[in-house]
Amino acid sequence: MIKIAAFDVDGTLRDRDFLPASTRDALHKLKEQGIVLALCTGRSEYEMESLRKELDIDWAITCNGSHIGYQGKTVYGNPFPKATIRQWMNEAERQKHTFLLYGAEGMFTNRADDAHFRQAQREIGFMEPMLIENIEEIPDIYQCIVFCGEQEEQIYTNSEQDAYYLHRWRTWALDINPKGMNKAVGLKKLMDHLGIEPSEAAAFGDGSNDFELLESVGYGIAMGNASEALKEKARFVKKDLHENGIAFAIEKWVLPFC
């Protein structure tokens, strides 16, 4: 029996501003059946506020599992040590690298403008971050994005890649999360909080940061637009986002098991 459904956002629920009406209807059907809905994304709680409210979803697992919020309020968080953030900001100033820092109630940057950030903003959309004025006043940070090449990332990981959860989503952009975190870990913490077993969960995704997520639940569902590598991890593969894939999968593989 499925009791919770977790959804990646970009490429799964929506494509930039496009969110099919069929997806909204399908999510509503799940809520009518008493299924807990949760966003499960590499984006921040701050960025997800409007979508969460639009879809009437209470739970959000954000920052690749490092933060869990209920109606926008922190329930669980695993932030970086403040000393680590200060060290990275000082090094980024020397290297002229741009960071995005994800807090629960804001998104921050160390540089006023950056060509890579603008490219990412055009391609997948980003809210405009706030410029850091004082490193000492930065709030808890649950995820960082650094715009740098693969050879340069060791400046920040110190060649200790197992010390962080890393997700390179462009040749010039890298997510960094605290050690041991990923979407599956975040979802497991939420399920433990709600008393739900992994076998009672469905999860939807399309990206390389969804590998662990789809493997961790009873019903791992990959989008039709997902990579072949992710499809191999999934129990089911559904249609593309633009082909009403969410509604198709919910009708075929989720509602029958509610």
Side-chain angles (χ1 to χ4, degrees):
M1 181 177 182
I2 295 176
K3 297 181 179 180
I4 187 169
F7 299 87
D8 169 56
V9 173
D10 296 300
T12 300
L13 278 182
R14 70 179 185 190
D15 180 7
R16 292 296 302 267
D17 295 328
F18 174 71
L19 197 156
S22 63
T23 296
R24 300 174 193 274
D25 293 341
L27 296 182
H28 181 68
K29 288 180 181 179
L30 291 181
K31 291 204 71 170
E32 286 184 330
Q33 293 295 319
I35 305 302
V36 176
L37 304 183
L39 302 180
C40 196
T41 175
R43 292 185 183 262
S44 67
E45 180 81 35
Y46 172 70
E47 287 182 286
M48 290 296 97
E49 181 179 12
S50 61
L51 179 65
R52 182 180 54 74
K53 290 180 176 179
E54 177 185 349
L55 297 178
D56 193 25
I57 294 176
D58 291 328
W59 291 98
I61 302 162
T62 57
C63 299
N64 285 318
S66 296
H67 185 271
I68 299 173
Y70 178 76
Q71 297 182 351
K73 303 298 183 183
T74 299
V75 173
Y76 166 83
N78 182 28
F80 289 102
K82 293 289 182 69
T84 298
I85 297 297
R86 288 194 292 268
Q87 177 186 339
W88 284 348
M89 292 303 95
N90 289 330
E91 188 60 43
E93 183 66 24
R94 287 190 286 271
Q95 301 293 332
K96 300 190 183 307
H97 287 155
T98 297
F99 267 76
L100 295 183
L101 307 180
Y102 281 2
E105 299 178 358
M107 185 170 72
F108 308 88
T109 186
N110 60 315
R111 296 171 69 85
D113 207 0
D114 179 87
H116 284 142
F117 170 73
R118 294 303 175 198
Q119 183 175 344
Q121 198 174 45
R122 290 191 299 270
E123 291 180 3
I124 62 175
F126 274 107
M127 297 177 69
E128 199 67 22
M130 292 175 277
L131 185 64
I132 297 169
E133 296 182 355
N134 185 342
I135 295 177
E136 301 301 324
E137 295 179 358
I138 297 175
D140 284 342
I141 298 300
Y142 302 96
Q143 177 173 298
C144 299
I145 298 176
V146 57
F147 295 106
C148 72
E150 188 171 357
Q151 298 303 314
E152 299 169 299
E153 71 183 51
Q154 293 184 2
I155 296 170
Y156 306 102
T157 62
N158 297 317
S159 300
E160 298 176 9
Q161 302 213 352
D162 60 344
Y164 303 101
Y165 175 72
L166 305 177
H167 170 231
R168 182 164 286 280
W169 47 275
R170 292 291 188 275
T171 57
W172 37 264
L174 177 73
D175 288 352
I176 308 177
N177 289 89
K179 180 180 180 179
M181 300 310 303
N182 58 55
K183 291 183 180 182
V185 172
L187 179 57
K188 181 62 165 57
K189 288 184 178 296
L190 175 56
M191 290 190 295
D192 288 345
H193 178 75
L194 298 175
I196 297 174
E197 295 297 322
S199 61
E200 299 172 318
F204 298 71
D206 78 305
S208 59
N209 60 339
D210 296 315
F211 283 1
E212 299 92 347
L213 177 66
L214 298 198
E215 287 186 311
S216 71
V217 297
Y219 299 81
I221 303 171
M223 301 294 292
N225 48 283
S227 68
E228 291 304 315
L230 184 65
K231 290 176 182 178
E232 291 177 1
K233 303 282 186 182
R235 180 172 176 179
F236 304 109
V237 178
K238 63 188 179 67
K239 297 181 180 181
D240 188 281
L241 162 65
H242 291 268
E243 298 175 323
N244 300 311
I246 291 285
F248 172 82
I250 286 175
E251 290 288 346
K252 186 171 183 178
W253 295 312
V254 180
L255 285 173
F257 299 99
C258 291

